[in-house]
mmCIF file of all heavy atoms in Angstrom:
data_model
loop_
_atom_site.group_PDB
_atom_site.id
_atom_site.type_symbol
_atom_site.label_atom_id
_atom_site.label_comp_id
_atom_site.label_asym_id
_atom_site.label_seq_id
_atom_site.Cartn_x
_atom_site.Cartn_y
_atom_site.Cartn_z
ATOM 1 N N MET G 8 0.444 11.169 8.543
ATOM 2 C CA MET G 8 1.178 10.994 9.838
ATOM 3 C C MET G 8 1.571 12.338 10.417
ATOM 4 O O MET G 8 1.831 12.472 11.595
ATOM 5 C CB MET G 8 2.401 10.164 9.575
ATOM 6 C CG MET G 8 2.038 8.730 9.238
ATOM 7 S SD MET G 8 3.386 7.776 8.621
ATOM 8 C CE MET G 8 4.424 7.801 10.083
ATOM 9 N N GLU G 9 1.638 13.404 9.578
ATOM 10 C CA GLU G 9 1.934 14.735 10.025
ATOM 11 C C GLU G 9 1.018 15.218 11.149
ATOM 12 O O GLU G 9 1.411 15.964 11.996
ATOM 13 C CB GLU G 9 1.940 15.735 8.890
ATOM 14 C CG GLU G 9 3.023 15.449 7.800
ATOM 15 C CD GLU G 9 4.403 15.787 8.313
ATOM 16 O OE1 GLU G 9 4.585 16.913 8.792
ATOM 17 O OE2 GLU G 9 5.285 14.906 8.240
ATOM 18 N N GLY G 10 -0.260 14.759 11.022
ATOM 19 C CA GLY G 10 -1.259 15.283 11.907
ATOM 20 C C GLY G 10 -1.248 14.643 13.333
ATOM 21 O O GLY G 10 -1.920 15.097 14.216
ATOM 22 N N ASP G 11 -0.432 13.641 13.468
ATOM 23 C CA ASP G 11 -0.428 12.944 14.776
ATOM 24 C C ASP G 11 0.019 13.846 15.905
ATOM 25 O O ASP G 11 0.810 14.786 15.694
ATOM 26 C CB ASP G 11 0.495 11.700 14.729
ATOM 27 C CG ASP G 11 -0.084 10.590 13.887
ATOM 28 O OD1 ASP G 11 -1.287 10.705 13.548
ATOM 29 O OD2 ASP G 11 0.644 9.635 13.538
ATOM 30 N N ILE G 12 -0.454 13.548 17.098
ATOM 31 C CA ILE G 12 -0.152 14.480 18.151
ATOM 32 C C ILE G 12 1.310 14.354 18.572
ATOM 33 O O ILE G 12 1.999 15.364 18.704
ATOM 34 C CB ILE G 12 -1.064 14.125 19.446
ATOM 35 C CG1 ILE G 12 -2.533 14.318 19.017
ATOM 36 C CG2 ILE G 12 -0.719 15.013 20.594
ATOM 37 C CD1 ILE G 12 -3.542 13.849 20.042
ATOM 38 N N PHE G 13 1.783 13.123 18.702
ATOM 39 C CA PHE G 13 3.214 12.964 19.082
ATOM 40 C C PHE G 13 3.895 12.370 17.847
ATOM 41 O O PHE G 13 3.730 11.176 17.575
ATOM 42 C CB PHE G 13 3.376 12.043 20.274
ATOM 43 C CG PHE G 13 2.710 12.585 21.507
ATOM 44 C CD1 PHE G 13 1.529 12.028 22.034
ATOM 45 C CD2 PHE G 13 3.242 13.703 22.191
ATOM 46 C CE1 PHE G 13 0.941 12.559 23.133
ATOM 47 C CE2 PHE G 13 2.647 14.246 23.286
ATOM 48 C CZ PHE G 13 1.485 13.667 23.755
ATOM 49 N N THR G 14 4.626 13.172 17.142
ATOM 50 C CA THR G 14 5.387 12.665 16.039
ATOM 51 C C THR G 14 6.888 12.768 16.280
ATOM 52 O O THR G 14 7.343 13.843 16.579
ATOM 53 C CB THR G 14 5.015 13.417 14.722
ATOM 54 O OG1 THR G 14 3.634 13.311 14.566
ATOM 55 C CG2 THR G 14 5.713 12.807 13.507
ATOM 56 N N SER G 15 7.542 11.615 16.238
ATOM 57 C CA SER G 15 8.973 11.636 16.403
ATOM 58 C C SER G 15 9.584 11.774 15.012
ATOM 59 O O SER G 15 9.394 10.928 14.156
ATOM 60 C CB SER G 15 9.377 10.335 17.062
ATOM 61 O OG SER G 15 10.730 10.185 16.997
ATOM 62 N N LYS G 16 10.171 12.923 14.761
ATOM 63 C CA LYS G 16 10.600 13.196 13.410
ATOM 64 C C LYS G 16 11.687 12.291 12.883
ATOM 65 O O LYS G 16 12.707 12.142 13.549
ATOM 66 C CB LYS G 16 11.137 14.679 13.344
ATOM 67 C CG LYS G 16 9.991 15.714 13.257
ATOM 68 C CD LYS G 16 9.423 15.768 11.818
ATOM 69 C CE LYS G 16 8.201 16.687 11.816
ATOM 70 N NZ LYS G 16 7.430 16.546 10.639
ATOM 71 N N GLY G 17 11.427 11.757 11.722
ATOM 72 C CA GLY G 17 12.469 10.945 11.084
ATOM 73 C C GLY G 17 12.806 9.677 11.772
ATOM 74 O O GLY G 17 12.369 9.325 12.841
ATOM 75 N N MET G 18 13.586 8.820 11.042
ATOM 76 C CA MET G 18 14.037 7.597 11.658
ATOM 77 C C MET G 18 15.233 8.012 12.542
ATOM 78 O O MET G 18 15.541 9.163 12.695
ATOM 79 C CB MET G 18 14.439 6.642 10.554
ATOM 80 C CG MET G 18 13.293 6.271 9.615
ATOM 81 S SD MET G 18 11.895 5.507 10.425
ATOM 82 C CE MET G 18 12.595 3.919 10.929
ATOM 83 N N VAL G 19 15.876 6.975 13.056
ATOM 84 C CA VAL G 19 17.022 7.247 13.922
ATOM 85 C C VAL G 19 18.002 8.215 13.274
ATOM 86 O O VAL G 19 18.454 7.957 12.153
ATOM 87 C CB VAL G 19 17.736 5.936 14.293
ATOM 88 C CG1 VAL G 19 18.956 6.178 15.143
ATOM 89 C CG2 VAL G 19 16.740 4.987 14.985
ATOM 90 N N LYS G 20 18.295 9.273 13.927
ATOM 91 C CA LYS G 20 19.145 10.288 13.301
ATOM 92 C C LYS G 20 20.564 10.213 13.816
ATOM 93 O O LYS G 20 21.439 10.969 13.360
ATOM 94 C CB LYS G 20 18.566 11.671 13.537
ATOM 95 C CG LYS G 20 18.709 12.558 12.268
ATOM 96 C CD LYS G 20 17.849 13.783 12.322
ATOM 97 C CE LYS G 20 18.054 14.593 11.046
ATOM 98 N NZ LYS G 20 17.200 15.722 10.960
ATOM 99 N N ALA G 21 20.824 9.303 14.701
ATOM 100 C CA ALA G 21 22.192 9.126 15.200
ATOM 101 C C ALA G 21 23.082 8.731 14.017
ATOM 102 O O ALA G 21 22.644 8.021 13.133
ATOM 103 C CB ALA G 21 22.233 8.082 16.282
ATOM 104 N N GLU G 22 24.309 9.175 14.053
ATOM 105 C CA GLU G 22 25.264 8.776 13.014
ATOM 106 C C GLU G 22 25.850 7.457 13.346
ATOM 107 O O GLU G 22 26.641 7.353 14.275
ATOM 108 C CB GLU G 22 26.374 9.826 12.912
ATOM 109 C CG GLU G 22 25.848 11.242 12.583
ATOM 110 C CD GLU G 22 25.842 11.456 11.057
ATOM 111 O OE1 GLU G 22 26.723 10.933 10.392
ATOM 112 O OE2 GLU G 22 24.974 12.215 10.574
ATOM 113 N N PHE G 23 25.462 6.437 12.598
ATOM 114 C CA PHE G 23 26.087 5.114 12.851
ATOM 115 C C PHE G 23 27.327 4.962 11.959
ATOM 116 O O PHE G 23 27.328 5.464 10.834
ATOM 117 C CB PHE G 23 25.078 4.011 12.486
ATOM 118 C CG PHE G 23 23.985 3.882 13.487
ATOM 119 C CD1 PHE G 23 22.759 4.477 13.295
ATOM 120 C CD2 PHE G 23 24.175 3.102 14.652
ATOM 121 C CE1 PHE G 23 21.736 4.329 14.261
ATOM 122 C CE2 PHE G 23 23.152 2.959 15.582
ATOM 123 C CZ PHE G 23 21.917 3.632 15.388
ATOM 124 N N THR G 24 28.253 4.299 12.457
ATOM 125 C CA THR G 24 29.479 3.982 11.636
ATOM 126 C C THR G 24 29.513 2.493 11.366
ATOM 127 O O THR G 24 29.347 1.705 12.281
ATOM 128 C CB THR G 24 30.730 4.420 12.389
ATOM 129 O OG1 THR G 24 30.569 5.757 12.812
ATOM 130 C CG2 THR G 24 31.959 4.264 11.561
ATOM 131 N N PHE G 25 29.656 2.135 10.138
ATOM 132 C CA PHE G 25 29.767 0.723 9.780
ATOM 133 C C PHE G 25 31.148 0.471 9.214
ATOM 134 O O PHE G 25 31.515 0.970 8.162
ATOM 135 C CB PHE G 25 28.687 0.298 8.788
ATOM 136 C CG PHE G 25 27.297 0.414 9.329
ATOM 137 C CD1 PHE G 25 26.503 1.502 9.036
ATOM 138 C CD2 PHE G 25 26.799 -0.605 10.086
ATOM 139 C CE1 PHE G 25 25.232 1.617 9.534
ATOM 140 C CE2 PHE G 25 25.511 -0.504 10.621
ATOM 141 C CZ PHE G 25 24.717 0.591 10.300
ATOM 142 N N TRP G 26 31.913 -0.298 9.911
ATOM 143 C CA TRP G 26 33.266 -0.682 9.384
ATOM 144 C C TRP G 26 33.036 -1.698 8.227
ATOM 145 O O TRP G 26 32.370 -2.726 8.471
ATOM 146 C CB TRP G 26 34.045 -1.296 10.543
ATOM 147 C CG TRP G 26 35.303 -2.056 10.163
ATOM 148 C CD1 TRP G 26 35.636 -3.341 10.504
ATOM 149 C CD2 TRP G 26 36.416 -1.628 9.392
ATOM 150 N NE1 TRP G 26 36.805 -3.677 10.026
ATOM 151 C CE2 TRP G 26 37.333 -2.680 9.309
ATOM 152 C CE3 TRP G 26 36.695 -0.414 8.717
ATOM 153 C CZ2 TRP G 26 38.519 -2.556 8.599
ATOM 154 C CZ3 TRP G 26 37.879 -0.329 8.003
ATOM 155 C CH2 TRP G 26 38.813 -1.406 7.941
ATOM 156 N N VAL G 27 33.443 -1.319 7.041
ATOM 157 C CA VAL G 27 33.078 -2.109 5.914
ATOM 158 C C VAL G 27 33.764 -3.486 5.817
ATOM 159 O O VAL G 27 33.318 -4.390 5.176
ATOM 160 C CB VAL G 27 33.299 -1.380 4.578
ATOM 161 C CG1 VAL G 27 32.455 -0.131 4.487
ATOM 162 C CG2 VAL G 27 34.737 -1.073 4.342
ATOM 163 N N GLY G 28 34.898 -3.610 6.550
ATOM 164 C CA GLY G 28 35.627 -4.877 6.533
ATOM 165 C C GLY G 28 36.647 -4.886 5.401
ATOM 166 O O GLY G 28 36.582 -4.043 4.489
ATOM 167 N N LEU G 29 37.550 -5.802 5.472
ATOM 168 C CA LEU G 29 38.701 -5.839 4.535
ATOM 169 C C LEU G 29 38.290 -6.052 3.113
ATOM 170 O O LEU G 29 38.779 -5.423 2.204
ATOM 171 C CB LEU G 29 39.699 -6.938 4.951
ATOM 172 C CG LEU G 29 40.438 -6.652 6.246
ATOM 173 C CD1 LEU G 29 41.294 -7.870 6.679
ATOM 174 C CD2 LEU G 29 41.388 -5.436 6.075
ATOM 175 N N ALA G 30 37.273 -6.918 2.901
ATOM 176 C CA ALA G 30 36.878 -7.201 1.554
ATOM 177 C C ALA G 30 36.235 -6.018 0.885
ATOM 178 O O ALA G 30 36.616 -5.636 -0.261
ATOM 179 C CB ALA G 30 35.927 -8.408 1.518
ATOM 180 N N MET G 31 35.313 -5.365 1.576
ATOM 181 C CA MET G 31 34.605 -4.192 0.981
ATOM 182 C C MET G 31 35.532 -2.982 0.857
ATOM 183 O O MET G 31 35.400 -2.105 0.017
ATOM 184 C CB MET G 31 33.348 -3.829 1.777
ATOM 185 C CG MET G 31 32.175 -4.788 1.520
ATOM 186 S SD MET G 31 31.715 -4.932 -0.217
ATOM 187 C CE MET G 31 30.652 -3.493 -0.446
ATOM 188 N N ASP G 32 36.511 -2.929 1.772
ATOM 189 C CA ASP G 32 37.523 -1.870 1.700
ATOM 190 C C ASP G 32 38.271 -1.970 0.354
ATOM 191 O O ASP G 32 38.430 -0.970 -0.342
ATOM 192 C CB ASP G 32 38.488 -2.023 2.875
ATOM 193 C CG ASP G 32 39.289 -0.745 3.161
ATOM 194 O OD1 ASP G 32 38.718 0.318 2.888
ATOM 195 O OD2 ASP G 32 40.423 -0.808 3.628
ATOM 196 N N LYS G 33 38.622 -3.186 0.030
ATOM 197 C CA LYS G 33 39.296 -3.455 -1.218
ATOM 198 C C LYS G 33 38.391 -3.150 -2.414
ATOM 199 O O LYS G 33 38.817 -2.574 -3.424
ATOM 200 C CB LYS G 33 39.745 -4.948 -1.253
ATOM 201 C CG LYS G 33 40.641 -5.313 -2.434
ATOM 202 C CD LYS G 33 42.076 -5.047 -2.138
ATOM 203 C CE LYS G 33 42.972 -5.581 -3.259
ATOM 204 N NZ LYS G 33 44.341 -5.025 -3.171
ATOM 205 N N PHE G 34 37.146 -3.491 -2.205
ATOM 206 C CA PHE G 34 36.135 -3.247 -3.311
ATOM 207 C C PHE G 34 36.049 -1.743 -3.637
ATOM 208 O O PHE G 34 36.079 -1.323 -4.787
ATOM 209 C CB PHE G 34 34.786 -3.793 -2.844
ATOM 210 C CG PHE G 34 33.607 -3.495 -3.805
ATOM 211 C CD1 PHE G 34 33.496 -4.143 -4.972
ATOM 212 C CD2 PHE G 34 32.697 -2.479 -3.457
ATOM 213 C CE1 PHE G 34 32.411 -3.900 -5.852
ATOM 214 C CE2 PHE G 34 31.670 -2.194 -4.339
ATOM 215 C CZ PHE G 34 31.508 -2.864 -5.539
ATOM 216 N N TYR G 35 36.048 -0.958 -2.560
ATOM 217 C CA TYR G 35 35.932 0.496 -2.758
ATOM 218 C C TYR G 35 37.247 1.115 -3.192
ATOM 219 O O TYR G 35 37.241 2.146 -3.930
ATOM 220 C CB TYR G 35 35.364 1.217 -1.493
ATOM 221 C CG TYR G 35 33.877 0.874 -1.334
ATOM 222 C CD1 TYR G 35 33.432 0.305 -0.150
ATOM 223 C CD2 TYR G 35 32.989 1.193 -2.330
ATOM 224 C CE1 TYR G 35 32.053 -0.020 -0.009
ATOM 225 C CE2 TYR G 35 31.605 0.847 -2.202
ATOM 226 C CZ TYR G 35 31.158 0.265 -1.034
ATOM 227 O OH TYR G 35 29.864 -0.004 -0.880
#
Side-chain angles (χ1 to χ4, degrees):
Chain G
M8 294 169 63
E9 293 291 307
D11 289 349
I12 299 172
F13 298 107
T14 302
S15 168
K16 280 284 175 195
M18 300 300 292
V19 178
K20 218 165 180 175
E22 298 269 328
F23 287 96
T24 305
F25 295 98
W26 165 234
V27 297
L29 291 172
M31 285 303 278
D32 198 30
K33 187 85 174 166
F34 175 76
Y35 289 121

